[in-house]
Amino acid sequence: MSKVSAPYFKIESFGSVDGPGIRLVIFLAGCPYRCVYCHNPESWSIANKKMITVDEVLQLYLKNKKFYKNGGITISGGEPLLHLKFCHKLSKKCLKKNISLAFDTSGATFTKKNINKYKKITKHKPLWIVDIKHTIPYQHFLITQTTSKLKEIKLLNFLEKNNNIFWIRMVLLPNYTDQKNNIINIKNILNKYKNMQNFEILPFHQFGCSKYKQLKTKYLLENVEPVDENYLKEFKQKIFTK
């Protein structure tokens, strides 16, 4: 029995957008980033959060196993790889039980200090859903409110080297991620990796605005209009047109 646990703030028993098939999605708490478009600001802190063990995650999955036959388990956040020991233990058990496991991550904890811990996880071959915030350092800072060395790009290189399958996601945020230089960089990234299986563009929305008010935290994008279908289509054409 594994007693290894991690703080969480939400569980979805019927997730359909966090990896292939219908999935059990566990949202772990804690994140070093403060993304301006984050729709789960309640995930940032680990204070006063409930704990869940690796075995409890597996029990929740097995309870409804027939619903997940074409899906599996996704660990999201927050930043799930903030809890590397938990993710390692879960990935090891999922591989042993032939359960599809995915991590939805921004690579925020991918550092030289943690690289061996990441290597242990890659040996168990989970699916990685990597969120690219931005490809230009200063713009990355404006979005995450935290200095970064584009860790998600370094993580993608690492996953490619270690032959792990991954998806890539990005948020279409007007005047931030739709800049020409970022589009060029994204196009280059999509042509670079053999182990990339999927690329998703998530349109910016205002669904999390009310949460900031509840947390008494300033929401920086209050006056930004949500992305409509026409602009999303236009942006996709820029990305996928050679």
Side-chain angles (χ1 to χ4, degrees):
M1 297 289 288
S2 177
K3 299 290 185 181
V4 178
S5 63
Y8 74 98
F9 68 98
K10 183 170 65 173
I11 296 175
E12 287 185 5
S13 59
F14 207 76
S16 60
V17 296
D18 298 283
I22 303 301
R23 308 182 73 84
L24 170 67
V25 187
I26 311 294
F27 293 84
L28 299 187
C31 186
Y33 289 163
R34 295 294 181 266
C35 295
V36 291
Y37 52 61
C38 181
H39 58 276
N40 287 321
E42 72 274 26
S43 72
W44 292 345
S45 172
I46 62 174
N48 303 315
K49 297 296 192 296
K50 296 179 180 179
M51 303 294 290
I52 190 166
T53 68
V54 167
D55 286 333
E56 285 172 338
V57 172
L58 294 173
Q59 287 168 9
L60 287 172
Y61 170 84
L62 293 172
K63 182 180 178 182
N64 294 298
K65 185 178 179 179
K66 64 180 181 179
F67 292 112
Y68 305 128
K69 63 180 180 179
N70 295 317
I73 299 171
T74 295
I75 306 299
S76 188
E79 173 47 60
L81 276 300
L82 194 66
H83 312 284
L84 283 162
K85 185 176 181 180
F86 177 91
C87 292
H88 171 249
K89 292 292 184 182
L90 182 61
S91 65
K92 185 177 182 179
K93 288 206 167 192
C94 283
L95 179 63
K96 186 176 180 180
K97 294 179 180 293
N98 197 31
I99 298 171
S100 168
L101 175 66
F103 294 113
D104 185 350
T105 177
S106 65
T109 66
F110 184 70
T111 62
K112 288 184 179 179
K113 180 181 177 180
N114 286 331
I115 196 166
N116 287 332
K117 295 178 181 178
Y118 272 83
K119 282 183 179 178
K120 289 181 179 180
I121 296 174
T122 59
K123 289 179 181 178
H124 302 141
K125 304 296 182 181
L127 168 67
W128 301 76
I129 303 172
V130 181
D131 301 311
I132 294 181
K133 305 301 182 181
H134 208 288
T135 62
I136 301 170
Y138 179 65
Q139 297 296 331
H140 194 289
F141 169 77
L142 292 180
I143 289 174
T144 63
Q145 304 290 292
T146 305
T147 301
S148 169
K149 297 180 180 180
L150 303 182
K151 293 176 183 176
E152 59 265 56
I153 307 301
K154 294 180 180 180
L155 175 59
L156 290 173
N157 292 335
F158 173 81
L159 296 176
E160 180 78 3
K161 182 179 178 180
N162 286 275
N163 199 31
N164 271 220
I165 299 299
F166 53 85
W167 291 10
I168 295 177
R169 280 178 171 174
M170 68 168 290
V171 173
L172 172 53
L173 178 60
N175 300 317
Y176 283 82
T177 62
D178 58 354
Q179 299 158 324
K180 183 177 181 180
N181 286 347
N182 192 50
I183 291 173
I184 292 172
N185 291 341
I186 291 292
K187 288 166 74 76
N188 290 335
I189 285 170
L190 298 183
N191 291 322
K192 181 179 180 180
Y193 300 112
K194 295 180 180 179
N195 287 319
M196 186 192 74
Q197 283 193 341
N198 191 28
F199 174 64
E200 295 181 309
I201 300 172
L202 308 178
F204 167 71
H205 56 69
Q206 292 278 6
F207 297 156
C209 183
S210 60
K211 294 181 181 180
Y212 287 80
K213 295 178 181 178
Q214 293 172 5
L215 295 171
K216 297 181 180 179
T217 300
K218 184 175 178 60
Y219 183 55
L220 299 177
L221 303 180
E222 191 170 2
N223 296 320
V224 178
E225 290 293 324
V227 171
D228 61 27
E229 291 185 11
N230 289 332
Y231 189 56
L232 178 61
K233 182 178 180 180
E234 179 185 327
F235 184 78
K236 286 181 177 179
Q237 289 176 339
K238 291 180 181 178
I239 291 290
F240 295 115
T241 301
K242 294 183 180 181

